[in-house]
Amino acid sequence: MTLPSGKTGLALTGAALVVLVAAAYHAILWNGFLAWDDDLLITGNPFVTGGLTFAGIAAAFTRFDPQLYIPFTFLSYQFTVTLFGLQPWVFHLSNLLLHAGNVLLVWWVLELLTRNRTAAIMTALLFALHPLHTETVAWASSRKDLLSSFFFLVSVGCYLLSERRTNRRWYVLSILAFAAGLLSKVSIVILPFALLLIDWFQGKKITGERIVRLVPYFALSIAAGIIASFGKASAGWFLYEKVLIACKAIIFYLQKLILPTGLSTVYPYTQSISLFTPDIFVSVALVIAISIFVWRLRSVRMLPFVWVWFLLLLLPSFATIAKGYNELLDVYFASDRYVYLASVAPLLLVSLFAAELLRTARVPVLCVFGCVLVLLGYGTYRQTLVWRDTETLFRHALASYPDAHIAHTNLGAVLYKKGDVEGAIREFEATLAIRSDTMAYNNLAAIAYERGKIPEALEYYRKAIETGPGDLDAHINLGGILADQGRYAGA
């Protein structure tokens, strides 16, 4: 593999990476907004649809999304609307360009880290085209993940440069980039530990002076964590169960990096969360076995570096394993976007191995690697079509995970808006066939009320309250119907 040299060669290589990203992801430019956070964060958010205004800027810094503190992401949305209006293709193009920028940054950071240009470029190619990253790029609401990743990589790259050069500018830029990343999404809060890991990998002693150098990063992490805690809804910790589900997710992500098929916007887990559940037991055993293996081979620093980097970047996603009204009932153990940055480490390991093989088997390795890139690129293109609209997205999810009750509920809402009331009812009932769900009961109650079936609506609202006693909509709507009937005490 001929390495690019000189400014022209590097520029051509960078341009080629961007072209490959565009080829794999161009179909997202025809995708629309989704009734899956896009309506909450963008199209139904008056502080975004109003564009870049003083009120909008103030709201970006004083409001959550509703749970995450992402002011820079909101500002980027406002800026997009101000320049181009509320056009979905512009939001998708912005995501595509951010991903392309992240691909170039992966190349830059890994070359600084490993001094192996071949492996860095190969990793960037795999990162650019891997289907597991489609959710992050194709979903307008996932800009926060792209934006925070962009600043994370800039921060790491500037930190590496600051270690090589005496100019303090790179160190300051690294800290500023980290702050910007935290204001995009707090999930990169683990960056100070990633920098410590990099120092260890490079053979630097973790002295008091080096810890002092990282104090600004830790200070920013602590401040961001405190702010983020105000937005998170209170929930039980269930530490034991979350550790088990984390192990399940770790092995799942490794599987999907190797064979990226059956990708979905939701990955429900409906079995008992116990160490004695077979797939969880195997996952825990594999995580322990891999950890022991890399520890025993710690003299080869790349192995523990890759493993710890992978776990470290996934760590923030393990804080919450449940989404919905009922923790440990609404268990979704993985999301493709959570592995976006974490995937860089295992992809680097593969690339280093391939780069080493190039020395003795140049043509076969290049042929195999080229075929892998073609397959990955095609897989990504096919996956971008899944994100075309909300109905397509959730039908695809149900094809792989028919027990994803939230997918049935969301598909039912889409069908109802399209006027297919009977289809919507079937989907809500499919949700309830999996388990009791407050949202499905509320939706069925609303349909029954519209049809004049008052006793049926009352029963559905009562079941909604029984399932989720804290659901305000069910209480309010039930009270309204009772008031209409003159049953004021009950109302």
Side-chain angles (χ1 to χ4, degrees), residues 51-173:
L52 201 61
T53 64
F54 288 114
I57 294 170
F61 282 94
T62 56
R63 294 171 182 258
F64 292 83
D65 80 333
Q67 293 196 20
L68 293 175
Y69 187 65
I70 53 171
F72 273 27
T73 300
F74 279 137
L75 290 179
S76 74
Y77 287 150
Q78 293 169 1
F79 185 73
T80 302
V81 171
T82 298
L83 291 181
F84 304 103
L86 201 62
Q87 301 294 329
W89 72 267
V90 178
F91 283 80
H92 293 312
L93 177 61
S94 300
N95 277 17
L96 191 156
L97 293 176
L98 274 171
H99 179 56
N102 287 338
V103 169
L104 297 177
L105 286 171
V106 165
W107 169 22
W108 175 56
V109 168
L110 293 184
E111 187 169 335
L112 288 173
L113 181 66
T114 66
R115 300 177 186 270
N116 187 327
R117 179 166 295 173
T118 300
I121 292 174
M122 294 176 85
T123 306
L125 285 165
L126 294 173
F127 181 81
L129 300 178
H130 204 289
L132 196 56
H133 299 152
T134 308
E135 175 179 287
T136 313
V137 183
W139 190 13
S141 291
S142 195
R143 183 183 293 187
K144 54 184 175 289
D145 299 283
L146 291 166
L147 205 56
S148 61
S149 298
F150 179 87
F151 288 119
F152 178 97
L153 292 167
V154 170
S155 182
V156 172
C158 290
Y159 179 83
L160 289 168
L161 282 179
S162 73
E163 291 290 293
R164 292 188 183 184
R165 304 176 184 180
T166 56
N167 193 328
R168 189 175 174 80
R169 177 183 61 181
W170 295 109
Y171 175 66
V172 174
L173 285 175

Side-chain angles (χ1 to χ4, degrees), residues 218-265:
F218 280 106
L220 286 171
S221 291
I222 293 170
I226 291 172
I227 293 173
S229 67
F230 289 105
K232 283 293 183 182
S234 60
W237 285 96
F238 302 104
L239 182 60
Y240 168 72
E241 289 83 357
K242 290 185 178 182
V243 170
L244 296 181
I245 287 294
C247 291
K248 166 75 177 176
I250 290 165
I251 300 304
F252 176 83
Y253 290 135
L254 289 175
Q255 290 175 321
K256 294 304 179 184
L257 282 168
I258 296 169
L259 189 64
T261 59
L263 301 179
S264 172
T265 187

Side-chain angles (χ1 to χ4, degrees), residues 286-296 307 311:
L286 285 173
V287 169
I288 293 172
I290 295 171
S291 300
I292 293 173
F293 175 76
V294 300
W295 173 252
R296 291 176 65 88
W307 182 238
L311 297 182

Side-chain angles (χ1 to χ4, degrees), residues 3-16:
L3 296 178
S5 59
K7 293 183 178 179
T8 301
L10 294 175
L12 289 174
T13 303

Side-chain angles (χ1 to χ4, degrees), residues 164-465:
R164 292 188 183 184
R165 304 176 184 180
T166 56
N167 193 328
R168 189 175 174 80
R169 177 183 61 181
W170 295 109
Y171 175 66
V172 174
L173 285 175
S174 175
I175 295 171
L176 292 175
F178 180 43
L182 290 171
L183 291 173
S184 302
K185 188 180 180 182
V186 75
S187 59
I188 64 164
V189 71
I190 45 72
L191 183 137
F193 298 99
L195 297 181
L196 276 174
L197 181 64
I198 288 172
D199 287 342
W200 173 85
F201 173 71
Q202 294 183 324
K204 297 172 182 175
K205 293 183 178 180
I206 310 301
T207 62
E209 181 181 352
R210 187 155 295 280
I211 295 295
V212 169
R213 183 173 169 78
L214 293 175
V215 165
Y217 298 93
F218 280 106
L220 286 171
S221 291
I222 293 170
I226 291 172
I227 293 173
S229 67
F230 289 105
K232 283 293 183 182
S234 60
W237 285 96
F238 302 104
L239 182 60
Y240 168 72
E241 289 83 357
K242 290 185 178 182
V243 170
L244 296 181
I245 287 294
C247 291
K248 166 75 177 176
I250 290 165
I251 300 304
F252 176 83
Y253 290 135
L254 289 175
Q255 290 175 321
K256 294 304 179 184
L257 282 168
I258 296 169
L259 189 64
T261 59
L263 301 179
S264 172
T265 187
V266 289
Y267 299 103
Y269 194 77
T270 55
Q271 300 181 57
S272 172
I273 303 177
S274 166
L275 181 60
F276 302 104
T277 302
D279 60 330
I280 289 183
F281 180 82
V282 171
S283 297
V284 172
L286 285 173
V287 169
I288 293 172
I290 295 171
S291 300
I292 293 173
F293 175 76
V294 300
W295 173 252
R296 291 176 65 88
L297 294 178
R298 61 188 180 278
S299 58
V300 183
R301 286 181 177 248
M302 182 55 71
L303 289 177
F305 172 79
V306 164
W307 182 238
V308 176
W309 177 279
F310 184 64
L311 297 182
L312 192 62
L313 270 293
L314 286 177
L315 183 61
S317 69
F318 299 149
T320 302
I321 64 169
K323 302 174 183 177
Y325 292 99
N326 301 282
E327 185 142 0
L328 297 184
L329 287 178
D330 292 353
V331 177
Y332 298 91
F333 66 92
S335 289
D336 293 351
R337 65 189 182 279
Y338 292 160
V339 79
Y340 184 72
L341 268 179
S343 68
V344 172
L347 295 179
L348 171 62
L349 191 62
V350 171
S351 298
L352 285 167
F353 180 70
E356 189 63 29
L357 288 179
L358 276 174
R359 300 175 184 274
T360 54
R362 179 186 178 84
V363 174
V365 171
L366 287 178
C367 288
V368 171
F369 190 74
C371 290
V372 168
L373 291 180
V374 170
L375 290 173
L376 290 177
Y378 179 69
T380 293
Y381 166 73
R382 289 290 302 272
Q383 192 65 18
T384 61
L385 303 179
V386 170
W387 291 82
R388 180 176 57 195
D389 53 48
T390 312
E391 182 176 352
T392 303
L393 181 66
F394 287 110
R395 287 197 184 281
H396 178 267
L398 289 169
S400 299
Y401 297 92
D403 56 350
H405 78 274
I406 196 171
H408 282 294
T409 301
N410 281 278
L411 179 57
V414 171
L415 294 177
Y416 178 79
K417 289 180 181 178
K418 291 175 63 176
D420 184 3
V421 179
E422 295 302 325
I425 291 173
R426 285 195 297 272
E427 292 302 326
F428 297 141
E429 289 177 343
T431 296
L432 297 175
I434 298 169
R435 76 161 183 81
S436 295
D437 179 74
T438 301
M439 190 177 298
Y441 280 129
N442 273 330
N443 290 334
L444 287 170
I447 292 173
Y449 182 74
E450 287 181 358
R451 292 180 164 185
K453 300 179 179 180
I454 304 303
E456 188 175 325
L458 288 171
E459 182 61 23
Y460 279 132
Y461 278 131
R462 289 192 176 102
K463 287 181 178 179
I465 292 170

